Amino acid sequence: MKPYEHKDIDRKWRERWQADGLYVTREDDPRPTCYTLDMFPYPSGAGLHVGHPKGYIATDVYARYKTMCGYNVLHPMGWDAFGLPAENYALKHKVHPGVAVAENIKRFKEQLTAIGFSYDWEREVNTTDPAFYAWTQWAFVQMFKAGLAYESHEPINWCPGCQTGLANEDLEGGRCERCDSVVEKRPMRQWVLRITAYADRLLADLDALPWPDSVKDMQRNWIGRSEGAEFDFAIEGRTEAIRVFTTRPDTLFGATYVVLAPEHPLLTTLLEACENAAEVAAYRNAAAARTEFERTGAREKTGVVLQGLRAINPANGERIPVWVADYVLASYGTGAIMAVPAHDERDHAFAERYGMPIIKVIEGTDVPAAEPYTGPGKLVNSGPFTGMASDEAKPLIVAHAKGTARVRYRLQDWVFSRQRYWGEPIPIVHCARCGAVPVPEKDLPVTLPDVESYEPTGTGESPLANIPSWVETTCPACGDPARRETNTMPQWAGSSWYYLRYIDPRNGTALVDLAKERQWSPVNVYVGGMEHATRHLIYARFWHKFLYDKGVVSRPEPFERLYTVGIILAEDGRKMSKRWGNVVNPDDMVARMGADALRVYEMFMGPFGQAIAWNTDHMVGARRFLDRVWQLVAKVGEGAGAIDPIVDRTIKKVSEDIESFAFNTAISQLMILVHALEAATVVSRNVYEILVRLLAPFAPHLAEELWERLGHGTSVHREPWPSYREEVLASAEVTVVVQVNGKTRATFRAPADLPADELVARARALPEVVRHSAGGMVLREVVVPGRLVNFVLTAGPRVEKLD
Ligand code: ANZ
Ligand code: ZN
């Protein structure tokens, strides 16, 4: 029999699918819908490496499977092409970002096409297309009108490398997530989105989302809700008061000093009134040079007292000192605190260092006297509240000291302007008479003009400010001469709503048609990297809720199920990077072994969410598996034969595993089936056809070719998914214990009568077994049917056996 010639087969079917429009999705299709989506890529200059398609392969397997199960599937792809990555690439290679983006998209698309994805390319979106960003701007205008987009002059994060302001979400450990520069604080004019107005709903609606707990917890922490109170500490002999935020109003009687952040606006006024103004000013300037990250780190706390000033504790009228210290952040709460050294760690360390009094007001249990007690307890030294339980005392002390209950968030409003060229222009006109006026909807999009030089200016203005013909305009409200806003939107703007546009990509009169949106929403399965947990996934939820409030969309949450992809490391265990010279290019792999071998390998290499190293030899194993499926055709007899229960078991397992994104165990079950069929003298045609259909989502080209050779004139990808006979799988399920070198590592449920080889194969694919057998080779397996599998390993490198 002819060998499996992947080159011819891959090309033949790609062209045929394209010509037949096999993956074009229609709305006038009565089947239930399923929306399967990948986080769309930045079309970077480096092209794809083998890590990128892993998530795309998974959604493609899922989309093809759901189509065969009878769903009308939406499975689109597009480009997130605005923003710093694209612009930095263009600057480095001295090409216009628009030109670079077009080239990169072309290359990405070729690479993706070579892997055989079932995307409906008629719905392709590109965030840099004016027809797309007209709606990004439209949404901004709606937010402006709703009071959710506003101008601010607060100090923000400034990246000296990228020469632009950044949002908190763009930082990693105090550095720019893009270029790794240490980020500074700079006061500057900027546009900000009031995401905090949605903080409570963003939190509350997390509970019901069937997302991984890890992602939900990251969002909860990022939003960081704190219930507490604000108190005013009057300053003796002056009219100003210092307002503090505390989560522990019950400790107010123990507040022995107050602290202002170095950037606190009141400090400028108080400086003049204190006796050591020069010292305080010097401290403030030194603090400005330290990053927020340094200040909140483990470093010893420092500060300077404002001599001659006294604040008055509103609970008991005590006169207490006022300090400036950089462990208090200007960006949280009110930028000032009441210090309670007996019950707060940071205040305690500070008070010890500077000899401030430590007054215990909560009776703790079992704490060494030298340490602060931070828990709840019975109040002491607290005037009329002494003896009360701390939780009970909270509201009473708030009332007593004329405070107000307050909820604060760690989440801050979203700094939404960038002083860079390659972004959506913010659709605002500044008029001397009318102020900031939104561009009328009929005049959208405000297109990004071509410029000679798109290098960042570093002045706090974007390069757009250098184009008078573009900047100078008239006020939409009064007709006076006015100036356009020259800041652009951040790279996260387009991605905050793009998934809606695939539903209705060419709509010229609405962001999305509501009836179509109702038909397809929400995205049923969304797949992408963990790095988006607190960025894109919070931003998109915020925009979506806003659009929901506006009646633009019909549901409050955009994404139903979410799966995070484990990254593929290089063969040396490091991250794939040009810098290390360890990048594996999918084009080479596809050329050598075929698109289907790449697909099967990436789905088989380990549990989907787990990081795992690439190994070309293992991909060879995946290719061999496909060769064996190919060769099985020679054994196929005519007509239908009896079906062994292993076929039913395989259908059940592969279906359930695809549904739960356990692709590796689905493939190992297919391998078990192929193994069993190889052992038979004849394979009946109906059984082989079941195998081909089960394999179709994973190996679409090969399956299609085999399907044709079996005499079918229609695509296997339009065939119904095979069903299994419940009655032959009626045997009870048991719990099987899995050990590695005699240590129990996992358990799983399996049919009681599962043959030993299948039991072993299922056990071997468990993530715990993969993890605990790394570095050893399986010498033998001990199987107690229906009870236990024990893998006995050698030390030394693990040899993954695929066949
Ligand atoms: C007095 C107090 C007594 C506090 C006590 C804690 C324990 P979370 O839970 O993170 O919201 N705080 C308030 N604003 C701050 C700022 N700008 N920079 C640094 N620290 C600030 O933390 C709230 C607590 O962090 C507040 O409650 C305040 O210290 C401090 F036994 O007030 B607490
Ligand atoms: Zn005007």
Side-chain angles (χ1 to χ4, degrees):
M1 187 184 161
K2 241 179 75 167
Y4 158 37
E5 302 278 8
H6 65 263
K7 273 201 176 119
D8 300 339
I9 293 173
D10 286 3
R11 188 178 335 103
K12 167 180 162 188
W13 289 110
R14 272 206 312 272
E15 288 170 5
R16 188 82 64 85
W17 294 333
Q18 162 81 30
D20 294 352
L22 191 68
Y23 305 121
V24 174
T25 304
R26 307 247 168 267
E27 282 88 26
D28 56 359
D29 182 322
R31 294 174 298 171
T33 62
C34 175
Y35 187 176
T36 307
L37 186 67
D38 298 289
M39 294 183 190
F40 63 164
Y42 310 114
S44 78
L48 291 177
H49 67 56
V50 290
H52 296 116
K54 183 174 161 191
Y56 310 157
I57 295 170
T59 53
D60 198 60
V61 169
Y62 191 79
R64 289 174 180 279
Y65 161 74
K66 291 303 260 192
T67 303
M68 294 176 79
C69 289
Y71 287 84
N72 185 22
V73 172
L74 179 57
H75 185 224
M77 184 43 90
W79 317 104
D80 188 14
F82 265 140
L84 287 176
E87 186 172 346
N88 288 344
Y89 172 84
L91 281 172
K92 195 166 146 207
H93 293 86
K94 308 244 175 302
V95 284
H96 188 281
V99 174
V101 159
E103 278 171 10
N104 295 346
I105 286 178
K106 189 163 164 280
R107 173 149 163 66
F108 262 66
K109 210 165 163 178
E110 281 165 9
Q111 287 188 294
L112 292 179
T113 304
I115 303 171
F117 293 119
S118 60
Y119 298 132
D120 177 359
W121 284 113
E122 290 184 9
R123 294 171 183 263
E124 176 178 357
V125 301
N126 175 344
T127 54
T128 68
D129 176 357
F132 179 93
Y133 69 69
W135 296 102
T136 312
Q137 292 175 335
W138 179 85
F140 180 90
V141 168
Q142 308 313 309
M143 289 199 185
F144 177 83
K145 290 180 178 166
L148 292 170
Y150 63 96
E151 274 182 287
S152 152
H153 294 265
E154 293 293 299
I156 59 160
N157 308 303
W158 171 265
C159 172
C162 295
Q163 306 211 332
T164 180
L166 296 175
N168 280 356
E169 287 80 6
D170 298 320
L171 310 193
E172 248 159 36
R175 290 171 179 271
C176 170
E177 181 257 338
R178 280 282 133 219
C179 73
D180 213 34
S181 305
V182 173
V183 166
E184 304 159 2
K185 284 276 178 190
R186 251 211 204 182
M188 58 190 294
R189 186 186 68 84
Q190 79 240 226
W191 284 94
V192 182
L193 299 187
R194 208 180 297 281
I195 189 172
T196 52
Y198 282 74
D200 264 335
R201 285 164 64 190
L202 288 169
L203 263 182
D205 292 353
L206 273 179
D207 295 343
L209 280 183
W211 287 13
D213 285 331
S214 55
V215 175
K216 296 208 284 188
D217 284 342
M218 283 170 78
Q219 293 213 348
R220 287 190 186 106
N221 289 335
W222 188 262
I223 296 167
R225 184 178 196 274
S226 291
E227 272 179 37
E230 287 179 5
F231 292 108
D232 281 335
F233 283 65
I235 304 172
E236 196 177 25
R238 300 184 59 91
T239 52
E240 301 97 344
I242 298 171
R243 176 162 297 185
V244 305
F245 172 67
T246 176
T247 46
R248 294 295 304 271
D250 49 315
T251 64
L252 183 55
F253 285 84
T256 55
Y257 56 98
V258 292
V259 189
L260 297 175
E263 298 83 2
H264 198 291
L266 199 56
L267 191 62
T268 318
T269 329
L270 296 182
L271 246 182
E272 289 154 21
C274 71
E275 291 154 12
N276 55 340
E279 191 191 358
V280 174
Y283 182 81
R284 179 175 64 178
N285 297 342
R290 288 192 282 271
T291 65
E292 195 159 289
F293 189 67
E294 286 172 324
R295 296 185 194 185
T296 48
R299 195 179 58 95
E300 233 194 321
K301 309 204 166 2
T302 61
V304 173
V305 70
L306 274 60
Q307 280 169 15
L309 289 178
R310 298 259 132 190
I312 301 168
N313 185 330
N316 54 13
E318 296 275 340
R319 271 54 180 160
I320 59 176
V322 179
W323 285 73
V324 53
D326 69 3
Y327 75 94
V328 176
L329 303 175
S331 53
Y332 186 65
T334 59
I337 64 154
M338 63 185 222
V340 183
H343 304 290
D344 179 274
E345 314 257 359
R346 291 161 301 178
D347 300 342
H348 189 267
F350 191 83
E352 293 245 286
R353 174 161 184 184
Y354 292 103
M356 302 299 297
I358 300 175
I359 299 176
K360 176 165 130 180
V361 289
I362 307 281
E363 197 70 72
T365 44
D366 304 334
V367 266
E371 272 170 40
Y373 171 71
T374 57
K378 209 172 71 173
L379 266 58
V380 293
N381 297 324
S382 294
F385 306 97
T386 298
M388 240 177 226
S390 47
D391 277 340
E392 222 180 298
K394 277 180 180 173
L396 303 179
I397 293 184
V398 171
H400 165 78
K402 303 206 164 44
T404 18
R406 272 298 301 254
V407 174
R408 285 280 179 180
Y409 300 93
R410 202 186 151 255
L411 179 75
Q412 284 169 32
D413 280 344
W414 176 8
V415 174
F416 198 69
S417 42
R418 298 292 177 273
Q419 292 69 47
R420 296 287 299 240
Y421 171 65
W422 192 237
E424 303 87 345
I426 290 180
I428 292 285
V429 168
H430 296 279
C431 167
R433 195 197 312 228
C434 311
V437 182
V439 173
E441 289 172 22
K442 67 171 173 44
D443 296 335
L444 297 178
V446 176
T447 45
L448 185 63
D450 267 330
V451 284
E452 303 261 305
S453 161
Y454 45 86
E455 311 262 340
T457 62
T459 59
E461 291 293 334
S462 93
L464 294 180
N466 298 331
I467 318 175
S469 62
W470 185 79
V471 174
E472 285 160 20
T473 181
T474 50
C475 171
C478 73
D480 274 5
R483 292 173 60 80
R484 283 190 193 284
E485 171 62 58
T486 59
N487 282 337
T488 54
M489 297 188 196
Q491 75 198 59
W492 307 103
S495 59
S496 294
W497 73 277
Y498 76 108
Y499 54 89
L500 293 169
R501 195 64 179 171
Y502 289 129
I503 292 173
D504 193 11
R506 312 283 164 252
N507 193 329
T509 57
L511 186 148
V512 61
D513 175 79
L514 191 55
K516 290 183 184 170
E517 190 274 339
R518 279 216 180 86
Q519 184 181 3
W520 289 108
S521 281
V523 173
N524 299 102
V525 174
Y526 196 30
V527 176
M530 194 66 178
E531 68 277 15
H532 293 295
T534 53
R535 295 179 181 149
H536 160 61
L537 287 173
I538 287 190
Y539 291 152
R541 292 183 62 222
F542 161 49
W543 275 50
H544 197 88
K545 287 183 183 306
F546 170 70
L547 294 173
Y548 173 72
D549 292 348
K550 290 277 309 164
V552 177
V553 298
S554 60
R555 291 161 189 275
E557 284 289 333
F559 313 119
E560 194 173 7
R561 275 158 64 192
L562 174 78
Y563 288 97
T564 55
V565 199
I567 59 168
I568 298 184
L569 301 165
E571 229 151 337
D572 58 13
R574 290 194 286 195
K575 244 182 132 152
M576 273 190 205
S577 155
K578 261 210 201 129
R579 184 153 45 127
W580 307 120
N582 58 7
V583 175
V584 183
N585 186 317
D587 306 356
D588 301 341
M589 293 296 139
V590 167
R592 248 176 84 187
M593 291 180 253
D596 291 348
L598 178 81
R599 296 171 60 108
V600 168
Y601 170 52
E602 294 210 357
M603 292 299 94
F604 184 67
M605 64 195 305
F608 181 65
Q610 206 164 292
I612 197 151
W614 178 267
N615 184 319
T616 303
D617 291 342
H618 294 180
M619 182 169 160
V620 172
R623 166 61 200 234
R624 274 201 209 114
F625 166 65
L626 296 178
D627 284 327
R628 287 164 48 203
V629 173
W630 176 265
Q631 271 140 23
L632 263 185
V633 184
K635 282 195 177 182
V636 174
E638 270 316 308
I643 296 180
D644 189 275
I646 192 176
V647 176
D648 300 279
R649 274 200 299 278
T650 303
I651 298 169
K652 181 166 194 275
K653 179 116 184 85
V654 172
S655 313
E656 289 173 357
D657 286 356
I658 293 178
E659 193 59 69
S660 60
F661 270 51
F663 305 106
N664 58 327
T665 51
I667 291 173
S668 73
Q669 182 65 32
L670 285 169
M671 290 173 173
I672 292 167
L673 176 63
V674 168
H675 203 73
L677 298 181
E678 280 174 332
T681 31
V682 200
V683 175
S684 71
R685 185 189 169 87
N686 53 335
V687 168
Y688 190 70
E689 289 196 351
I690 289 173
L691 170 66
V692 171
R693 282 188 282 158
L694 293 178
L695 194 64
F698 296 97
H701 309 84
L702 176 72
E704 194 78 302
E705 178 71 18
L706 290 169
W707 194 248
E708 188 188 52
R709 284 173 186 237
L710 288 164
H712 297 286
T714 51
S715 172
V716 69
H717 303 295
R718 295 239 166 110
E719 284 298 306
W721 187 250
S723 54
Y724 56 89
R725 297 164 299 173
E726 234 13 291
E727 62 283 7
V728 303
L729 300 181
S731 115
E733 293 226 317
V734 290
T735 298
V736 181
V737 171
V738 185
Q739 302 180 327
V740 177
N741 285 337
K743 262 214 178 102
T744 299
R745 296 300 187 186
T747 58
F748 69 103
R749 302 283 293 169
D753 59 356
L754 196 66
D757 54 339
E758 288 189 53
L759 209 53
V760 168
R762 288 194 188 190
R764 186 196 273 271
L766 295 171
E768 296 85 351
V769 173
V770 172
R771 195 160 60 242
H772 289 288
S773 59
M777 182 163 84
V778 177
L779 271 186
R780 67 201 156 84
E781 298 103 9
V782 182
V783 183
V784 183
R787 301 252 310 271
L788 171 130
V789 181
N790 179 18
F791 293 99
V792 184
L793 304 187
T794 58
R798 177 165 59 103
V799 179
E800 183 95 351
K801 274 180 62 195
L802 278 146
D803 42 9

